[in-house]
Amino acid sequence: MLIFSKAKLVLFSVPKTGTTAIETALAPHAAIALLDPPELKHAPVYRYNRFLRPMVEKFIGDEVETLAVIREPVNWLGSWYRYRQRPFLSGRPVSTEGLSFDQFVEAYLAETRPAYANVGAQSKFVEPRPNGTAITRFFKYEELQDCVAYLEERLELAISLPQVNVSPKQDLELSPALEARLRTACAADFHLWNSIPS
């Protein structure tokens, strides 16, 4: 998460949406850069609302824009699956080594998710709070250049994104029946992504 005081902007870091690259490029320009631990770097709206919003409103103001990037849900799960295939996770409960993408998604849809499939949901990450705290501007991961262009204009600087945290290539084709189940079970995530203008 990056907080820009002069621009009155908070950039949320939804996991697996390219925001690590944006943070790497913009952290030196932020008033506050929450890069570690992951619970702070990837603070969802509810955690921001509880712990960070009061400070931001007191010292920056209450007219702060909040921004998040959202990834197409199948692709988002595919990124988690590929990330957890990495050798350094081998043998750990979070590793997807030896699993097909179908098996990973089946586990994600299970009533009790195993550790390797317990990755949350983008719609829950950005879920508005009862007091009105919400994301005010969304961008699609698949059109990340639009987000970069907006940030360049808003922050008045040129941005060059580095290649960081890139997962290995894998086949991410789901069986049609499983994809249909996923679209039903995760309707909120698909609705969120589809509601973002291109």
Side-chain angles (χ1 to χ4, degrees):
M1 177 180 286
L2 300 180
I3 300 172
F4 301 91
S5 56
K6 290 182 181 176
K8 293 193 169 187
L9 176 69
V10 177
L11 173 63
F12 282 72
S13 181
V14 181
K16 313 311 293 173
T17 62
T19 46
T20 297
I22 294 174
E23 287 175 341
T24 301
L26 293 182
H29 305 282
I32 300 172
L34 299 171
L35 306 176
D36 200 49
E39 293 79 11
L40 282 178
K41 173 181 176 173
H42 297 297
V45 169
Y46 80 83
R47 191 170 295 141
Y48 167 81
N49 181 57
R50 182 174 177 191
F51 297 108
L52 299 169
R53 179 194 51 77
M55 175 189 67
V56 168
E57 289 186 357
K58 178 167 184 169
F59 296 108
I60 299 175
D62 56 5
E63 297 296 319
V64 173
E65 182 175 42
T66 51
L67 185 154
V69 176
I70 300 296
R71 192 169 186 161
E72 192 280 326
V74 176
N75 198 290
W76 182 75
L77 286 173
S79 183
W80 274 113
Y81 166 74
R82 290 184 291 121
Y83 177 77
R84 292 185 165 183
Q85 293 263 312
R86 291 181 172 192
F88 76 91
L89 294 175
S90 182
R92 298 186 193 177
V94 295
S95 175
T96 56
E97 184 179 36
L99 296 173
S100 68
F101 186 44
D102 269 19
Q103 288 172 311
F104 174 77
V105 173
E106 285 277 7
Y108 182 75
L109 293 175
E111 190 172 326
T112 302
R113 293 174 182 160
Y116 63 81
N118 193 16
V119 297
Q122 294 177 99
S123 59
K124 292 300 287 182
F125 187 100
V126 299
E127 188 174 48
R129 307 314 301 152
N131 68 353
T133 301
I135 301 297
T136 54
R137 186 178 295 270
F138 287 102
F139 288 94
K140 288 183 175 178
Y141 167 85
E142 294 74 13
E143 297 164 4
L144 200 58
Q145 71 280 358
D146 294 344
C147 179
V148 170
Y150 179 78
L151 289 170
E152 285 184 323
E153 181 180 344
R154 187 76 190 271
L155 301 174
E156 300 179 344
L157 51 85
I159 300 171
S160 178
L161 294 186
Q163 289 286 316
V164 294
N165 212 17
V166 179
S167 300
K169 298 290 183 188
Q170 293 280 340
D171 176 26
L172 298 179
E173 192 168 332
L174 288 175
S175 65
L178 183 56
E179 183 170 343
R181 281 177 54 209
L182 178 67
R183 288 181 177 276
T184 299
C186 302
D189 291 81
F190 286 94
H191 174 75
L192 171 62
W193 186 79
N194 284 313
S195 71
I196 303 169
S198 293

